[in-house]
Amino acid sequence: MTAPLVFAAASALAAVGATAGVSLLGLRAAIDVALAWALLASTIVVAAVLVAGAVAERLSSGVLLGLTLVAASVLWLAARARAPGFGAHLRSGLEGARHALGHLRQDRWVAALAFVTAAELVWRTAVAFVMPPYAGDALWYHLTTVGGWVQNGRVGPSELSIWSTVHPQNGELFFAWSAVLLGRDTLVDTVQLPFAVVAGIAVAGLARSCGLSRPPAAAAGLLFILTPIVLSQTTAAYTDVIVIAFVLAAFHFVLRAIRALQGEGRASLEKSLALAGLAGGLAVGTKELALLYVAVLAALVVAALAAARFSNRATLGPLLRALVLFVLPLLALGAYHYVETWVRFGSPFYPVRASALGVTLFDGRPLEQFLSTPPHEGAWWREIWGQWHADHFFLTRPRFHAYSYDGRPSGLGPLWSYLGLPALLAWAAYLAWRRRLLFLTVLVPVALMFALQPYRWWSRFTMILAALGAIAVVALVQAVGPRLSPLVKAFVAGLVGLGLFFPTLKIDGEFWATRILSIASSGDRSIGAVALPAYRWVDSVPPGSAIGVDTSARQFGGQPFILAYPLFGSAFQHRVYALPSASAEGFRRALAADGITYVTVARGRILDRWATAAMAAGCATRIFDGPVYAGEAGRAYRIRPGCAWSQAPASWRAPLSHLSEATRGEG
């Protein structure tokens, strides 16, 4: 069976298992069904890769296929046993979905937004398929993690990047799903794209909980997907859209649980909180920032349950049972990596110091050492407004405005800057005056999430603002009445079109659409050919070669400009090893022990000095010398197998202590 068929079969089995799981839950609302299906499918993928790679330590396509088959079979049999009319239930669900889509098509504005969204997603899928992985953090650690797992056949720590070991890795498990099953990195840049759709559905669910009818709620979800930073992220192997999708899904089900406590709707308290915990666990296990978001949601859950108990709307037993159903999946899918890091390094947040109320809980380096500098420095409000103001580019930036997956210096888009922010402020005032429960359960939690996190100025970490802004814009359209709503809709459409024009015409501010088409026609999609010419030499390296990489950085945890991931090759055909820099003798032994025949190093630093001396001794040939990444220079060498290293000059064998601190680095 070919790799694409294995990938399709495993993905279909995950879909079947998720469908059976949704049937077991007996959910009725279309948004609940869609989000629950996405959460269960995600859980199956995460569990399968973890069991195969971390428990069995046999991360292969065959093992993943077998585990997915077992999961799908168990869920399918359980659904058939508990619901004899399982097939009829599925047909009823499909019929309900068709009815809902037909209802939405009757609203021309929603239909137009849906058409534009579909066209953008098709275009972004084509971009992700044609382009090789090229995003900075993906090449630094997100995909370096996956490359190491594929190489070693197991999920475990990495020697290539500290962040490939200590960061939560649910997102990387999704990347590994396609990488292992396909044996290539062809689809890794498409992984976030379906999560943008999941996030849009969750935004629609939040809008419904806020009192909007179906078409406006759908419009809010579509406006969120069309946010420039969301679309830009869909073609990068990052995790920010994955995280916001899970956070928004958790938020939706928390609000559903609160409605159940109020006796509204048909939502089940226990099912809603169990799904909220599942989404929260997936989010926390993907990125540390989600800890703040999910902690706020957990506090909201506890407050709602306590209020229900003290108002005698529910007894203690059912409330505690619902709380347990929230906490268990949250811990199961969110805590495992932090526990592993705690055991390995003595802190679940290594290498960052964790403090609360002035008390150090876990020692480490200050958080500020690892934070990026905002483009607009100053007081916190200057940092934030500098980012938001950049989207007023008709006033401040008359030239071409490029959006990037990185989200600097802007990303929330002109809809947010011109209309979303003022609409949100007006909507907040209205809710505080007339609908205080919604104000307390929707706006206050988001305000806390925004205030607590360190990257308030950075759009890819504040996409939840775009979600609320989209809801506020649609609420404004609904509030102005039939006479003015066409004008407001036209204004919204213009701002959306303006925000889409730039990231559609030029991908991530770097690749024009015509360049994407030329890459597609040439078929040469290697990282060296498309994104980083410094790695072009990797394309001519024989498959199976062992390549050593300089992983040192200017400071601990900083980004090395010699990136490891491009060395694996698009089909993971090369083996990649971190080069030791403690001593020249250790360097020589590592080359011999791992059979390393190529090395790539930072120019002028300790490993380059040793490689240069080896070249002088006839043991190496320099095959690249030039700029690599972020304006820094590097070199690559071909190592001569079996060379008599004892002939190398004494300067090559000099101990590290004889070299300057600047040459040595800290990494």
Side-chain angles (χ1 to χ4, degrees):
M1 189 181 292
T2 63
L5 288 178
V6 173
F7 173 76
S11 300
L13 287 170
V16 168
T19 303
V22 170
S23 179
L24 280 170
L25 291 172
L27 301 173
R28 299 299 180 190
I31 291 177
D32 291 356
V33 169
L35 291 178
W37 187 92
L39 294 175
L40 292 174
S42 298
T43 301
I44 291 172
V45 169
V46 166
V49 180
L50 268 181
V51 171
V55 179
E57 296 191 345
R58 294 184 60 191
L59 188 59
S60 66
S61 58
V63 174
L64 283 182
L65 182 62
L67 289 171
T68 312
L69 175 61
V70 170
S73 299
V74 170
L75 288 168
W76 183 271
L77 292 174
R80 289 296 296 262
R82 292 194 59 182
F86 183 40
H89 178 74
L90 291 179
R91 288 191 294 272
S92 174
L94 291 174
E95 183 61 33
R98 283 195 295 268
H99 177 74
L101 289 175
H103 184 69
L104 293 178
R105 280 198 298 266
Q106 296 176 5
D107 189 305
R108 293 181 180 179
W109 189 52
V110 175
L113 289 175
F115 176 80
V116 173
T117 302
E120 283 291 336
L121 294 180
V122 168
W123 169 237
R124 301 303 298 199
T125 301
V127 169
F129 183 78
V130 169
M131 294 286 288
Y134 61 90
D137 286 0
L139 302 181
W140 174 15
Y141 60 89
H142 288 304
L143 293 180
T144 297
T145 303
V146 176
W149 292 350
V150 174
Q151 174 177 303
N152 299 323
R154 63 183 178 86
V155 172
S158 171
E159 295 182 351
L160 299 173
S161 169
I162 182 64
W163 303 120
S164 291
T165 296
V166 301
H167 268 326
Q169 294 170 345
N170 280 352
E172 285 74 10
L173 295 174
F174 291 116
F175 302 143
W177 175 262
S178 69
V180 172
L181 290 171
L182 289 173
R184 311 184 57 85
D185 64 9
T186 307
L187 295 183
V188 293
D189 275 347
T190 67
V191 168
Q192 287 208 105
L193 198 145
F195 286 100
V197 178
V198 173
I201 295 172
V203 171
L206 293 176
R208 292 286 287 147
S209 294
C210 292
L212 298 182
S213 59
R214 285 189 180 90
L222 294 168
L223 289 176
F224 176 80
I225 297 173
L226 294 174
T227 302
I229 185 58
V230 177
L231 282 178
S232 296
Q233 278 264 321
T234 57
T235 49
Y238 277 32
T239 60
D240 303 292
V241 172
I242 299 174
V243 169
I244 197 62
F246 289 143
V247 168
L248 289 170
F251 203 173
H252 164 78
F253 282 114
V254 167
L255 294 183
R256 294 286 282 168
I258 292 174
R259 289 184 63 190
L261 288 170
Q262 298 291 323
E264 301 176 9
R266 296 175 294 173
S268 163
L269 174 64
E270 293 182 356
K271 292 175 185 176
S272 295
L273 285 184
L275 289 167
L278 195 66
L282 288 165
V284 168
T286 301
K287 203 178 192 76
E288 293 95 337
L289 183 62
L291 285 167
L292 297 175
Y293 284 61
V294 175
V296 171
L297 293 179
L300 180 59
V301 167
V302 172
L305 295 177
R309 177 67 191 94
F310 290 129
S311 63
N312 293 319
R313 291 197 305 271
T315 58
L316 183 60
L319 295 178
L320 289 177
R321 185 165 58 248
L323 182 60
V324 169
L325 289 173
F326 172 74
V327 171
L328 286 181
L330 176 60
L331 294 178
L333 290 169
Y336 71 91
H337 181 79
Y338 298 93
V339 172
E340 181 187 17
T341 305
W342 194 349
V343 171
R344 180 173 286 116
F345 297 104
S347 168
F349 309 109
Y350 180 86
V352 179
R353 180 188 304 155
S355 304
L357 301 177
V359 178
T360 299
L361 304 177
F362 297 98
D363 201 10
R365 298 173 185 247
L367 175 63
E368 291 73 19
Q369 178 177 325
F370 304 101
L371 295 179
S372 298
T373 303
H376 305 273
E377 294 187 74
W380 64 269
W381 64 270
R382 289 184 181 274
E383 296 176 354
I384 297 169
W385 179 244
Q387 289 289 292
W388 293 352
H389 188 52
D391 278 311
H392 291 97
F393 41 79
F394 272 172
L395 301 178
T396 63
R397 292 171 177 254
R399 56 188 175 82
F400 190 92
H401 187 84
Y403 287 106
S404 168
Y405 58 82
D406 186 62
R408 287 182 287 188
S410 62
L412 296 183
L415 180 63
W416 166 261
S417 292
Y418 282 102
L419 188 59
L421 177 58
L424 179 57
L425 295 175
W427 189 51
Y430 168 76
L431 292 182
W433 178 42
R434 299 293 298 271
R435 305 191 65 181
R436 292 182 181 174
L437 181 61
L438 278 179
F439 179 81
L440 293 174
T441 58
V442 177
L443 295 185
V444 170
V446 173
L448 286 174
M449 295 174 189
F450 181 68
L452 290 174
Q453 72 133 317
Y455 282 133
R456 293 183 292 269
W457 55 269
W458 204 336
S459 62
R460 70 184 175 101
F461 298 125
T462 57
M463 284 186 274
I464 198 164
L465 292 181
L468 280 194
I471 297 173
V473 166
V474 175
L476 175 64
V477 170
Q478 190 169 282
V480 296
R483 287 188 176 182
L484 293 179
S485 64
L487 293 176
V488 178
K489 288 178 180 179
F491 186 49
V492 170
L495 293 176
V496 169
L498 189 61
L500 292 179
F501 173 77
F502 299 108
T504 301
L505 189 61
K506 193 174 186 181
I507 302 299
D508 294 322
E510 186 174 358
F511 302 100
W512 291 97
T514 51
R515 175 84 189 283
I516 306 295
L517 297 177
S518 67
I519 294 170
S521 61
S522 70
D524 190 355
R525 63 176 296 274
S526 72
I527 294 173
V530 175
L532 296 174
Y535 289 91
R536 187 61 167 167
W537 63 269
V538 179
D539 299 341
S540 59
V541 171
S545 297
I547 304 176
V549 59
D550 183 352
T551 60
S552 62
R554 302 288 182 191
Q555 65 179 32
F556 178 77
Q559 179 173 1
F561 56 87
I562 303 297
L563 304 171
Y565 180 72
L567 306 175
F568 285 100
S570 61
F572 305 101
Q573 67 268 34
H574 308 310
R575 293 172 292 125
V576 182
Y577 300 96
L579 292 171
S581 58
S583 70
E585 184 61 24
F587 175 69
R588 184 195 67 79
R589 285 198 304 266
L591 296 183
D594 294 324
I596 294 174
T597 51
Y598 296 85
V599 299
T600 177
V601 298
R603 182 198 289 174
R605 302 183 72 182
I606 182 63
L607 292 173
D608 182 39
R609 293 191 178 192
W610 293 340
T612 300
M615 184 176 68
C619 296
T621 303
R622 186 176 293 156
I623 58 176
F624 172 79
D625 186 356
V628 178
Y629 185 78
E632 301 283 358
R635 287 170 173 164
Y637 297 83
R638 182 187 297 111
I639 304 300
R640 179 182 165 192
C643 179
W645 291 99
S646 60
Q647 296 177 7
S651 61
W652 185 86
R653 299 191 298 271
L656 184 64
S657 59
H658 292 176
L659 299 172
S660 70
E661 184 69 25
T663 301
R664 165 182 345 172
E666 300 180 28

